[in-house]
Amino acid sequence: QVQVRESGGGVVQAGESLTLSCTVSGVIFGDVNMGWFRQSQGKEREGVACIDWDGRIDTYAPSVEGRFTISRDNAKNTVYLQMNDLKPEDTAMYYCVPVAFIGVRGLSVPDTDAWGQGTQVTVSL
């Protein structure tokens, strides 16, 4: 059974940075693609970034392209999301899960029961 644990969220001001971490268990981490997703209050969950199993191919939602960077350390079973130049519209609960696809398809919210508790990111003006 796949389990994920997100961490690293917090309250920051616009323009600041945060790095989220997600540790994964219950799966051979080096075999799976990973995605970061977020959900703002009153909105549907959306894809933010995804990365292939060996970290060579990454894809971003247009709203975060150039500001966010996804990476992974397969030795630590961990995927990261470096978020720079944060904006109030980035305020959301952030989640990570394994995804079946890479590229734009990897940004589609998967039908999975592997969702964790998420980590809250709040960006103030």
Side-chain angles (χ1 to χ4, degrees):
Q1 181 179 355
V2 178
Q3 291 188 322
V4 299
R5 178 173 293 181
E6 303 93 343
S7 62
V11 180
V12 297
Q13 292 188 324
E16 294 185 338
S17 300
L18 277 175
T19 299
L20 307 183
S21 300
C22 170
T23 303
V24 182
S25 61
V27 67
I28 300 176
F29 184 70
D31 286 350
V32 298
N33 308 317
M34 292 296 301
W36 280 100
F37 299 83
R38 68 185 181 185
Q39 187 166 18
S40 306
Q41 199 165 15
K43 296 186 177 180
E44 292 187 352
R45 194 166 297 185
E46 62 177 357
V48 175
C50 62
I51 190 167
D52 74 323
W53 62 276
D54 70 350
R56 295 188 181 189
I57 302 172
D58 52 4
T59 305
Y60 301 91
S63 59
V64 306
E65 180 85 51
R67 299 188 297 122
F68 290 13
T69 302
I70 187 172
S71 62
R72 63 191 296 160
D73 185 338
N74 286 353
K76 295 182 178 180
N77 284 16
T78 301
V79 61
Y80 304 97
L81 187 67
Q82 171 70 42
M83 307 184 295
N84 297 329
D85 190 23
L86 282 160
K87 305 177 184 298
E89 51 264 40
D90 295 318
T91 295
M93 188 72 79
Y94 284 73
Y95 304 88
C96 73
V97 284
V99 293
F101 307 106
I102 58 173
V104 175
R105 292 183 71 187
L107 298 181
S108 296
V109 178
D111 181 15
T112 176
D113 58 0
W115 297 104
Q117 297 296 311
T119 186
Q120 177 68 39
V121 173
T122 302
V123 185
S124 61
L125 287 170

